[in-house]
Amino acid sequence: MPTEHDWRIDNCKALHGAKLRRKEYRAPSKEWDHDHCAGCWATFMEIDAPDILHEGYATTVEYKLGEDYEWVCPTCFADLRAVMDWIEVV
């Protein structure tokens, strides 16, 4: 269980109370081919390579910067969900 001193909380504080949807990662364009977890900075990409994530939790259209703008890895979602007041939507 994370404490208020967990460094990932500071990284993703803009996502406090956000609605997040679990989904497969798809690059938004050829120029923008990857994203990072808002908490731990793990990498999301479509390519198969060591330590690359292909699925996680993405912001929804209600987020101020839009759908799929921010991503959270499954580990950070599980660890920080309660303290960040994240809402999982389907």
Side-chain angles (χ1 to χ4, degrees):
M1 185 69 156
T3 68
E4 66 272 5
H5 303 294
D6 190 315
W7 58 274
R8 299 173 299 169
I9 293 170
D10 286 338
N11 288 349
C12 59
K13 64 185 170 193
L15 291 177
H16 188 269
K19 293 180 181 177
L20 299 170
R21 177 175 287 117
R22 187 167 181 131
K23 62 193 305 185
E24 189 173 342
Y25 180 78
R26 291 285 174 234
S29 69
K30 288 185 181 198
E31 294 78 30
W32 185 354
D33 65 350
H34 72 282
D35 279 281
H36 293 278
C37 173
C40 69
W41 286 91
T43 303
F44 291 92
M45 291 183 83
E46 292 183 42
I47 65 166
D48 287 325
D51 300 323
I52 298 297
L53 300 174
H54 300 106
E55 186 175 308
Y57 293 84
T59 53
T60 62
V61 294
E62 292 90 358
Y63 183 61
K64 64 184 174 184
L65 298 173
E67 185 174 25
D68 299 344
Y69 189 81
E70 297 283 358
W71 286 81
V72 175
C73 74
T75 300
C76 285
F77 185 83
D79 291 350
L80 303 177
R81 181 180 187 173
V83 73
M84 294 301 298
D85 294 321
W86 286 330
I87 301 161
E88 182 177 6
V89 297
V90 273

